[in-house]
Amino acid sequence: MSTVFVAGATGALGRLVIDSLHRRGARVRALVRPGNVEGRRALDPAVEVVEGDIRDPADRLARALEGADAVISTVQGGADVIIDGQLNLLRAAEQAGVARLIPSDFSLAIDRLDYGDIDFADLRKKAAGSFAGSPVAITSVLCGAFLEVLNQPFYNWVDWESGTFSYWGDGDQPVDFSTMPDTAEWTAEAALDPAAAGRIVRVAGDVLTLRELHQAMERGSGRRLRPRRLGGVDELEAEIARLKTAGADPFAWLLLQYTWAMVSGKGKLDPLDNDRYPGVRPTTAEEFFRQAMSPSA
Ligand SMILES: NC(=O)c1ccc[n+]([C@@H]2O[C@H](COP(=O)([O-])OP(=O)(O)OC[C@H]3O[C@@H](n4cnc5c(N)ncnc54)[C@H](OP(=O)(O)O)[C@@H]3O)[C@@H](O)[C@H]2O)c1
């Protein structure tokens, strides 16, 4: 039986990853930050909990990692967590002799993006650079955009109250979409697959242009959404630059940077590795919106 160490276990994706690992018969050891009583209580009782922080001294973390076959990180945070913290986790994994580590990437094609395209992706690119040369094999799981996230009002793509679907670009660029549970399934598969060591695993539940996404939202929800084109890719780029210069809330332009990477095609995953894990039957966007917008949801 494989043992997988999960850092970020109390987060949205981490909890799902633990479920997916258990479904595959793996033993899970989870890092929970001291004081996170609620997060700890919500974990499956089968999980072995280790209290700590990925920024703890590497010697201490290494003891917690003893005997693990793989590490999955689903942490979220700034440079101190994504770069320094994950590098510290890697050093601990080296000391403990762990073979593989999946860092908290779970994004668009960050390997194809340039520095400056998406500030959050920059952190993950820098972390990947700092991992180079480690005897621990890195597997990066890239999954496109989470449907759960872009369905949130703050993302400004869909407004169910006013019945509007707002988009940038020409609407014809294919974009990768995945649900969080499907991403957790692929992540568990990759963690338990020695052949994924040192590879990028590119997966997507659905690949749709924004016109097709709009139709999938309407079919799934059974509701009409008036399309509203906000501008072209160049205008989106100018809007991001304007918001940055004006000192706007970084959240506003960070979300637009993700949108830009999607509608420009630069963040497109290619080729997709879905066939590598035929046991994962991903949810389509239409199915996702059927479930998410059903009266009982
Ligand atoms: N592709 C997409 O559209 C998309 C969308 C959203 C997220 N993501 C990615 O998915 C990944 C997971 O995101 P999420 O939404 O699951 O995040 P989340 O719910 O905020 O969870 C983050 C987890 O990291 C833990 N953590 C933070 N700092 C830590 C530290 N120093 N030491 C140990 N644990 C620490 C948190 O612990 P506490 O509970 O104690 O705070 C929590 O368990 C991230 O890489 C994120 O960028 C992708």
Side-chain angles (χ1 to χ4, degrees):
M1 189 194 278
S2 298
T3 299
V4 181
F5 185 94
V6 180
T10 53
L13 184 60
R15 285 195 302 262
L16 295 167
V17 164
I18 290 174
D19 292 344
S20 296
L21 288 166
H22 278 160
R23 272 194 289 278
R24 286 162 179 78
R27 208 181 286 125
V28 177
R29 196 178 300 154
L31 187 71
V32 175
R33 292 203 278 184
N36 190 347
V37 180
E38 279 305 308
R40 185 177 184 144
R41 196 176 293 139
L43 288 177
D44 185 318
V47 172
E48 181 192 346
V49 172
V50 177
E51 215 170 74
D53 188 294
I54 58 168
R55 295 164 299 185
D56 284 347
D59 286 355
R60 192 166 145 212
L61 272 181
R63 283 196 292 281
L65 287 164
E66 288 291 331
D69 299 283
V71 175
I72 300 174
S73 166
T74 58
V75 297
Q76 180 64 297
D80 60 325
V81 174
I82 299 296
I83 305 174
D84 306 334
Q86 292 198 111
L87 180 59
N88 191 47
L89 185 63
L90 179 78
R91 294 288 173 251
E94 288 170 0
Q95 273 188 48
V98 179
R100 304 192 302 281
L101 183 144
I102 298 180
S104 196
D105 289 343
F106 310 110
S107 189
L108 315 177
I110 50 182
D111 54 321
R112 293 181 59 207
L113 296 177
D114 290 307
Y115 280 103
D117 285 342
I118 303 179
D119 289 45
F120 272 0
D122 287 359
L123 300 180
R124 283 147 181 89
K125 287 172 81 71
K126 281 187 192 150
S130 72
F131 299 159
S134 172
V136 178
I138 303 295
T139 300
S140 177
V141 176
L142 301 179
C143 54
F146 286 156
L147 287 164
E148 291 87 347
V149 175
L150 67 83
N151 193 34
Q152 295 294 319
F154 66 76
Y155 219 91
N156 295 319
W157 276 30
V158 57
D159 182 340
W160 293 106
E161 278 195 13
S162 66
T164 326
F165 174 73
S166 303
Y167 69 100
W168 294 88
D170 59 12
D172 293 328
Q173 167 61 46
V175 177
D176 304 299
F177 301 104
S178 295
T179 66
M180 293 180 90
D182 290 342
T183 302
E185 290 284 284
W186 281 309
T187 304
E189 289 278 341
L192 300 173
D193 172 12
R199 293 176 54 108
I200 298 177
V201 174
R202 300 175 180 85
V203 282
D206 218 341
V207 180
L208 300 171
T209 67
L210 294 203
R211 280 184 214 285
E212 291 166 337
L213 178 70
H214 174 216
Q215 290 162 5
M217 283 176 168
E218 290 194 328
R219 279 197 308 271
S221 68
R223 301 196 209 169
R224 282 269 155 259
L225 290 168
R226 186 172 49 83
R228 191 166 68 106
R229 186 171 184 268
L230 301 173
V233 174
D234 291 348
E235 286 161 293
L236 173 55
E237 212 169 311
E239 176 64 1
I240 294 166
R242 187 189 69 74
L243 288 169
K244 271 186 147 179
T245 313
D249 177 359
F251 196 61
W253 49 262
L254 273 164
L255 292 179
L256 288 180
Q257 285 183 322
Y258 280 105
T259 297
W260 175 84
M262 288 185 242
V263 300
S264 68
K266 197 166 175 185
K268 179 80 188 73
L269 301 171
D270 186 37
L272 288 174
D273 299 309
N274 287 31
D275 291 349
R276 201 180 167 88
Y277 303 114
V280 180
R281 300 263 170 126
T283 314
T284 64
E286 183 175 335
E287 286 164 351
F288 170 82
F289 286 105
R290 182 165 301 122
Q291 288 160 17
M293 303 312 293
S294 79
S296 57

